[in-house]
Amino acid sequence: MKNLRTVISALAAILCAGAFFSIKGSSMAKAAEEAPEAFPSVITWDDYQNTQKTEPTVLHFSLGEGTEIDVELPYYPSVVKQIEFLDINGDGTEEALIYRYFANTATEYTLIDIFEIKDKTVRNLSPGTELQELSGNVWNMSFQENAVEDFTKGEAGLVCRLESYDKKYGIVFRDETILAEYRDESWRIIGHVSWKVEQAAGLIKECVMNGK
């Protein structure tokens, strides 16, 4: 009898547990129906640091459900230093900001690539994708600190400062400075300074000092 009661108790416990899991599973299914499915995106990369190859950096976006997208970035060999997320277009979804380190014979650069990840697609929102004025140069990039604060408050667009450099006769010069603002889902130039006159003055001064 004791053994029979033990078996009956065990069966009751199993049935109760089964009912619990059935209810819990039903609740989870209902919650899944009410809320849209979300698949967290994962970003990995191949850059000069982990391949030691003089090739462009490649980003690998894993978007869930087997969706894998590779994006080759311009300029090489660069190294991915940091990834941040910021909603720059106001749609409630944060974009991925990829910070990279790059160096050439002129100087060192911070390159910033911006990607919108939505509906299992990846779209490049970086300034160079829209502004023809940026083509042909490598740009050291940074966000204006006060502009970022105003942007997060919804008071202004996101402002990016871009600077290019040139090197002549072993002397490195700042070539151009551009301020680009992202507003209403597009980039526009709000400031542009050419430093070519400063370059020429610097070369003349250097030649005079060297007696050339």
Side-chain angles (χ1 to χ4, degrees), residues 96-113:
L97 280 59
I98 315 294
Y99 291 77
R100 292 185 289 144
Y101 169 83
F102 170 76
N104 60 13
T105 56
T107 188
E108 300 175 335
Y109 303 81
T110 294
L111 312 175
I112 306 176
D113 307 280

Side-chain angles (χ1 to χ4, degrees), residues 82 86 116 161 207 209:
Q82 183 181 357
L86 181 66
E116 176 188 70
R161 181 185 182 93
C207 289
M209 291 178 63

Side-chain angles (χ1 to χ4, degrees), residues 103-206:
N104 60 13
T105 56
T107 188
E108 300 175 335
Y109 303 81
T110 294
L111 312 175
I112 306 176
D113 307 280
I114 305 172
F115 290 94
E116 176 188 70
I117 305 172
K118 183 185 292 185
D119 301 326
K120 299 296 184 294
T121 62
V122 174
R123 185 164 69 102
N124 194 330
L125 300 183
S126 307
T129 60
E130 294 186 15
L131 302 175
Q132 293 297 321
E133 293 86 346
L134 303 184
S135 62
N137 281 335
V138 185
W139 298 89
N140 184 64
M141 303 170 66
S142 62
F143 292 116
Q144 298 287 87
E145 188 171 339
N146 59 334
V148 171
E149 184 178 345
D150 292 340
F151 169 76
T152 55
K153 293 178 181 177
E155 299 174 359
L158 184 66
V159 177
C160 183
R161 181 185 182 93
L162 304 101
E163 292 190 305
S164 64
Y165 297 88
D166 196 5
K167 186 176 182 180
K168 293 180 180 178
Y169 309 110
I171 303 172
V172 177
F173 297 96
R174 182 174 49 174
D175 190 33
E176 292 182 87
T177 299
I178 288 178
L179 293 181
E181 180 186 43
Y182 190 84
R183 184 192 287 269
D184 299 326
E185 300 188 8
S186 64
W187 289 96
R188 65 188 183 98
I189 292 177
I190 59 175
H192 186 189
V193 178
S194 174
W195 305 99
K196 297 186 186 301
V197 174
E198 183 182 270
Q199 284 188 30
L203 284 174
I204 293 173
K205 182 180 178 179
E206 186 72 17

Side-chain angles (χ1 to χ4, degrees), residues 9-19:
S9 298
L11 287 173
I14 292 171
L15 290 173
C16 289

Side-chain angles (χ1 to χ4, degrees), residues 22-80:
S22 176
I23 293 170
K24 185 177 180 182
S26 176
S27 299
M28 292 175 65
K30 184 178 180 182
E33 290 176 1
E34 294 174 350
E37 292 187 25
F39 296 93
S41 58
V42 176
I43 305 173
T44 57
W45 56 86
D46 292 321
D47 61 8
Y48 180 74
Q49 188 172 41
N50 61 31
T51 65
Q52 296 298 307
K53 295 180 180 179
T54 310
E55 297 176 352
T57 297
V58 179
L59 299 177
H60 308 290
F61 293 85
S62 299
L63 307 182
E65 288 191 321
T67 303
E68 305 284 336
I69 298 175
D70 293 342
V71 177
E72 184 177 288
L73 301 178
Y75 308 118
Y76 58 88
S78 65
V79 175
V80 176

